Amino acid sequence: MATNLALDPVLLDRALAVSGQSTKKAAVTLALQEFIARREQRGLLDLVGTLEWDDSFDYKAQRSRA
């Protein structure tokens, strides 16, 4: 899908430099992928402390092959 965007040229040049990508399209695609990954990781952090643990669960017993 072709899309025209007015991007900050300084930011785009910096993205090209730090990403090592050879094209603007590749640099922007990588930046979007990393942005999405970070936002999805943030959602996982919201789960910290919300799980209830079963103190009676014996994980070592689950390892036995008997």
Side-chain angles (χ1 to χ4, degrees):
M1 157 184 23
T3 303
N4 293 324
L5 299 173
L7 301 174
D8 183 334
V10 174
L11 289 176
L12 190 53
D13 289 341
R14 286 179 62 195
L16 279 165
V18 300
S19 70
Q21 300 296 314
S22 59
T23 66
K24 293 176 184 178
K25 178 181 177 181
V28 171
T29 298
L30 180 61
L32 287 171
Q33 289 169 339
E34 291 184 7
F35 173 80
I36 291 166
R38 283 182 177 245
R39 290 295 171 110
E40 288 174 342
Q41 289 171 357
R42 184 184 297 170
L44 293 176
L45 288 176
D46 292 339
L47 296 176
V48 172
T50 62
L51 298 176
E52 295 181 21
W53 298 102
D54 181 2
D55 293 329
S56 66
F57 178 72
D58 184 5
Y59 68 93
K60 290 183 181 179
Q62 299 296 321
R63 292 183 185 171
S64 70
R65 296 180 183 231

